[in-house]
Amino acid sequence: MPRKSITSYDVAKAAGVSQSAVSRAFSPGASISKPTREHILKVAGEMGYQPNAIARSMSTARKDIHQKSGMVGVIVTRLEDPFFAQTIAEFSRGIQAQGWQMLLFTVDTEAEVDTALNTLMQYKIDGAIVLSAILSDQMARACNTQGIPVMLYNRSAEGLNASSVEIDNHEGGRMAADILLEAGHTRIAFVGGEEGDATSTRRQTGFEERLAEAGRQIFRHETGDYTFDSGREAALRLFARKDRPDAVFCASDVMALGVLHAARNELGLRIPEDFSLVGFDDIPSAGWAGHALTTIRQPVRRMIKDAVDNLVESMESPALPPRIRRFEGRLIIRNTVRQVGSSSP
Amino acid sequence: MPRKSITSYDVAKAAGVSQSAVSRAFSPGASISKPTREHILKVAGEMGYQPNAIARSMSTARKDIHQKSGMVGVIVTRLEDPFFAQTIAEFSRGIQAQGWQMLLFTVDTEAEVDTALNTLMQYKIDGAIVLSAILSDQMARACNTQGIPVMLYNRSAEGLNASSVEIDNHEGGRMAADILLEAGHTRIAFVGGEEGDATSTRRQTGFEERLAEAGRQIFRHETGDYTFDSGREAALRLFARKDRPDAVFCASDVMALGVLHAARNELGLRIPEDFSLVGFDDIPSAGWAGHALTTIRQPVRRMIKDAVDNLVESMESPALPPRIRRFEGRLIIRNTVRQVGSSSP
DNA sequence: CTGAAAGCGCTTACAG
DNA sequence: CTGAAAGCGCTTACAG
């Protein structure tokens, strides 16, 4: 027995004004006298009236102007990953704080991003955030002609008409190499993401570059998929052979924790006595006492605030050109890297 | 230079048919001939036309019928918590699989749930999911009269006109007590959520009930807020005194991991040699090799599938009465509880 | 400041 | 099966 919800006409009748007046009472800058607005708001409150956001969005469509829905679409893969969970949580708060709603779309592979965005566009989102994935050139153009700004997070744009916010992966890779070289390591392994993964590739490139400056190169390369289990398996492979690495750099904390747990509890190795370990991201569990993972921290809060602010600006001024922003990571020294001098007898 | 997006009128003109025909071509069961539909779909495809979901939602509003938007609102607190991250990830996939979109609202305290729901209702959501929180009686009624079914997850309803899916917390508490009693423990502490937290209270009640049956009671009670840090602090308090517990049951895995890390790495205690530890939920990191936490598993997949299916049914048949569903947890024995007989010399 | 009216892009009885 | 038209609940020029 659902009843029809009450509309601005109902309120108008009850308040003895026109429907336009009711609409104006609920529009912040509208031209309406203070007493009229207050009276209407009072009557509306008593009746439990709430403006219909869908109808508002509908009527907001004008010639050559993108229809405003008040919603921003967010596309994410692997939401169960702590790094993304934290990211989505921050985005959600940030978007709400600015008065927008978040339409969330979960995708399993990067290939689905275009389709997801397409679906979201049918809902007339005012802007889109794509996490750790890239969209096609064609899709970027479609967003562009429809006046929908796109923000790439944890990826960068390169020629696509999209803003982006990401960590300086190359420099982060260099930092990781730095501390491992400083500790005197020589057989340094790298556990990265799958072949072609942009983030992992950049971290690796920076890492190798710094290694090369010291006359070294990666001792062994393993591939994972950013899950704990893939880190665990990489560790098993890494330490199965006789010539073991004396240090491991992982392209993410989650994988590093997989390495750490497998090494300590399945392989009986000590960290950092038997090998040093460095991660990337600084997710909450990296700091837990029993992990104390040395890692490269991403300033997530600042990065997300920047991303949200920039997207909001673009949604409000569609003419704004896209902006690419890169943040610096910071080395967080905890207990998984051998101290200089404390190693050799 | 955003261009106006193309509408069904544009397609109609290009295809030489009426606008109604275009609309029908995109409505699954509509009365339209196969050749006409195919022709329209072809032309539309070439033009890149996509129906406007907002307009569709608008025109779907009819007398005494709730306007369908195709969106379900989801309200969550603490999305950064692994348990909720996993939950939201599953909900997102489940909702999408059924053809709905997810409008996500993050809230900091339970008091904000009503307001959040109110906002979501302005967007004419077809249904709502509230995670680990309860809404007011009044709000439940408002949803009811507007024909919006509400699904409570991880909470139960009791008289509210809302469906719910949750674990049997009472029985889960009993299970935890069971294994601890069986291991021969006598000084059993409990780390729960804040005063009045429904979930924690139920787990505690079941736990105490089983303890009482064995002629025992809780040795010490600590309070946390479901965060890792609060578990850590509870452990510090618990083991600061001379008369220490020999077992700890935590109302969540996250808190149990806080206890575990603090005990091992800050207090120098061994688990289960110095005390046994049991958690609740079985989040992914509970199973990591270095944790191997004994816990009560929630069948999350099944629970969420059930919740989504039930909500979808209610959205499609508004007359359906709410349904309360409780799932059984399962004891997952790992390495944090002392084996029987291996304790005393 | 206020009201009457057009328009947003669809869906769906209503007639043919 | 098909088209003309009303209607969904708003916003916003346009006149007063």
Side-chain angles (χ1 to χ4, degrees):
Chain A
M1 34 242 66
R3 205 80 60 69
K4 194 178 178 49
S5 42
I6 89 151
T7 75
S8 55
Y9 276 95
D10 303 324
V11 176
K13 199 185 317 178
V17 297
S18 72
Q19 181 272 333
S20 332
V22 177
S23 174
R24 291 193 182 102
F26 282 90
S27 306
S31 102
I32 183 174
S33 77
K34 204 164 172 185
T36 309
R37 164 171 279 153
E38 280 167 359
H39 174 230
I40 293 175
L41 257 26
K42 180 160 166 291
V43 174
E46 286 161 1
M47 301 176 70
Y49 168 75
Q50 301 270 172
N52 179 332
I54 296 286
R56 167 174 288 174
S57 167
M58 203 51 236
S59 62
T60 226
R62 289 271 172 293
K63 287 243 163 306
D64 298 330
I65 290 190
H66 177 260
Q67 171 180 352
K68 294 289 180 199
S69 66
M71 302 189 290
V72 355
V74 176
I75 298 176
V76 65
T77 46
R78 302 185 283 122
L79 178 46
E80 39 276 286
D81 181 303
F83 178 74
F84 288 97
Q86 191 188 163
T87 303
I88 292 290
E90 294 286 341
F91 266 118
S92 176
R93 290 199 172 81
I95 287 169
Q96 279 170 215
Q98 305 255 21
W100 260 272
Q101 299 303 314
M102 173 165 149
L103 205 49
L104 184 70
F105 207 103
T106 302
V107 109
D108 288 318
T109 68
E110 193 149 351
E112 299 167 45
V113 170
D114 274 24
T115 317
L117 203 40
N118 223 322
T119 302
L120 292 175
M121 284 168 71
Q122 294 182 230
Y123 281 83
K124 302 300 157 185
I125 51 172
D126 296 338
I129 297 172
V130 180
L131 298 190
S132 286
I134 208 97
L135 60 169
S136 72
D137 226 79
Q138 178 192 327
M139 202 49 177
R141 250 195 308 273
C143 290
N144 200 31
T145 70
Q146 300 218 17
I148 301 174
V150 175
M151 167 62 71
L152 264 28
Y153 186 84
N154 210 27
R155 272 290 187 287
S156 60
E158 330 226 333
L160 275 190
N161 203 287
S163 291
S164 65
V165 167
E166 67 172 347
I167 195 79
D168 187 335
N169 290 304
H170 187 88
E171 189 55 33
R174 287 187 59 95
M175 288 177 183
D178 244 357
I179 187 169
L180 257 15
L181 288 168
E182 202 175 302
H185 291 293
T186 54
R187 300 190 309 285
I188 308 181
F190 174 68
V191 178
E194 278 151 3
E195 180 76 28
D197 179 83
T199 302
S200 176
T201 304
R202 298 254 171 75
R203 290 174 188 176
Q204 180 182 344
T205 309
F207 188 66
E208 285 179 317
E209 181 183 276
R210 182 69 192 85
L211 249 36
E213 289 171 14
R216 303 215 175 287
Q217 55 187 43
I218 287 179
F219 172 68
R220 190 111 63 222
H221 184 151
E222 287 290 345
T223 294
D225 61 1
Y226 290 98
T227 61
F228 180 89
D229 280 337
S230 74
R232 169 183 173 271
E233 285 157 17
L236 263 28
R237 288 192 298 271
L238 238 23
F239 292 97
R241 310 173 44 159
K242 278 119 294 172
D243 51 338
R244 296 174 159 191
D246 63 1
V248 178
F249 168 45
C250 294
S252 87
D253 281 354
V254 173
M255 291 196 289
L257 292 177
V259 169
L260 182 148
H261 277 255
R264 284 191 185 151
N265 304 94
E266 300 186 61
L267 301 167
L269 297 169
R270 291 160 310 154
I271 303 174
E273 292 82 351
D274 294 321
F275 74 99
S276 287
L277 179 64
V278 176
F280 206 110
D281 292 338
D282 197 26
I283 58 174
S285 50
W288 293 358
H291 298 150
L293 181 68
T294 291
T295 188
I296 313 297
R297 172 181 296 170
Q298 298 206 38
V300 175
R301 276 263 170 64
R302 281 195 293 129
M303 289 170 71
I304 292 180
K305 181 177 174 1
D306 190 77
V308 172
D309 287 353
N310 182 248
L311 184 67
V312 167
E313 279 176 35
S314 299
M315 293 192 294
E316 284 169 349
S317 325
L320 250 42
R323 197 203 57 179
I324 296 177
R325 193 101 145 70
R326 221 181 300 283
F327 282 74
E328 288 308 313
R330 185 151 75 89
L331 176 67
I332 302 296
I333 298 181
R334 285 197 275 250
N335 308 332
T336 56
V337 171
R338 169 170 96 181
Q339 300 284 60
V340 186
S342 70
S343 54
S344 333
Chain B
M1 35 242 64
R3 206 81 60 68
K4 194 179 179 48
S5 41
I6 89 152
T7 74
S8 55
Y9 276 96
D10 303 324
V11 176
K13 199 186 316 178
V17 297
S18 73
Q19 180 272 332
S20 332
V22 176
S23 173
R24 291 193 181 102
F26 282 89
S27 306
S31 102
I32 183 174
S33 76
K34 204 163 172 187
T36 310
R37 166 172 277 153
E38 280 168 359
H39 175 231
I40 294 174
L41 256 25
K42 182 162 166 291
V43 173
E46 286 162 1
M47 301 176 71
Y49 168 75
Q50 302 268 172
N52 179 332
I54 297 286
R56 167 172 288 174
S57 168
M58 203 51 234
S59 61
T60 227
R62 289 273 172 292
K63 286 244 165 304
D64 297 330
I65 289 192
H66 176 261
Q67 170 180 352
K68 292 292 179 196
S69 66
M71 302 189 292
V72 356
V74 176
I75 298 176
V76 64
T77 46
R78 301 185 284 120
L79 179 46
E80 39 278 285
D81 180 303
F83 177 74
F84 288 98
Q86 191 190 162
T87 303
I88 291 291
E90 294 285 341
F91 266 118
S92 175
R93 290 198 172 83
I95 287 169
Q96 281 172 212
Q98 305 255 21
W100 260 270
Q101 299 302 314
M102 174 165 149
L103 206 51
L104 184 71
F105 208 103
T106 302
V107 108
D108 287 321
T109 67
E110 193 148 351
E112 298 167 46
V113 170
D114 274 24
T115 317
L117 204 40
N118 223 322
T119 302
L120 292 175
M121 283 167 71
Q122 294 183 230
Y123 281 83
K124 302 300 157 185
I125 50 172
D126 296 339
I129 296 172
V130 180
L131 299 190
S132 286
I134 208 100
L135 60 170
S136 72
D137 225 78
Q138 179 191 325
M139 202 48 175
R141 251 194 309 272
C143 290
N144 199 31
T145 71
Q146 300 217 18
I148 301 175
V150 175
M151 167 62 71
L152 264 29
Y153 186 83
N154 211 26
R155 272 288 187 290
S156 60
E158 332 226 333
L160 275 189
N161 202 287
S163 291
S164 64
V165 167
E166 68 172 348
I167 194 80
D168 187 335
N169 289 304
H170 187 88
E171 188 55 33
R174 288 186 58 96
M175 289 177 183
D178 244 357
I179 187 168
L180 258 17
L181 287 169
E182 202 175 303
H185 291 295
T186 53
R187 301 191 308 285
I188 308 181
F190 174 67
V191 179
E194 278 151 3
E195 180 77 30
D197 178 84
T199 302
S200 176
T201 304
R202 299 253 172 76
R203 291 175 188 176
Q204 179 182 344
T205 309
F207 188 66
E208 286 180 316
E209 181 183 277
R210 181 69 192 85
L211 249 38
E213 288 172 13
R216 304 214 174 287
Q217 55 187 41
I218 287 179
F219 172 68
R220 190 111 65 223
H221 183 152
E222 287 291 345
T223 293
D225 62 2
Y226 290 98
T227 61
F228 179 89
D229 280 338
S230 75
R232 170 183 173 270
E233 285 157 18
L236 264 28
R237 289 193 298 272
L238 238 23
F239 292 97
R241 311 172 45 159
K242 279 119 296 173
D243 51 339
R244 297 175 159 190
D246 63 2
V248 178
F249 168 46
C250 293
S252 86
D253 281 354
V254 173
M255 291 197 289
L257 292 177
V259 169
L260 182 148
H261 277 256
R264 284 192 185 151
N265 304 95
E266 299 186 61
L267 301 167
L269 298 169
R270 291 161 309 155
I271 302 174
E273 292 82 352
D274 293 322
F275 73 99
S276 287
L277 180 64
V278 176
F280 206 112
D281 292 339
D282 196 26
I283 59 175
S285 51
W288 293 358
H291 297 151
L293 181 67
T294 292
T295 189
I296 313 296
R297 171 180 296 170
Q298 298 206 37
V300 174
R301 278 264 169 64
R302 281 194 294 130
M303 288 169 72
I304 291 180
K305 180 174 176 1
D306 190 75
V308 172
D309 288 352
N310 182 248
L311 184 66
V312 167
E313 277 175 37
S314 299
M315 293 193 295
E316 285 168 349
S317 327
L320 250 42
R323 198 203 57 180
I324 296 178
R325 193 101 143 73
R326 220 180 302 283
F327 282 74
E328 288 308 314
R330 186 152 73 89
L331 176 67
I332 302 294
I333 298 181
R334 286 196 275 249
N335 308 331
T336 57
V337 171
R338 169 170 95 181
Q339 300 284 62
V340 186
S342 70
S343 55
S344 332

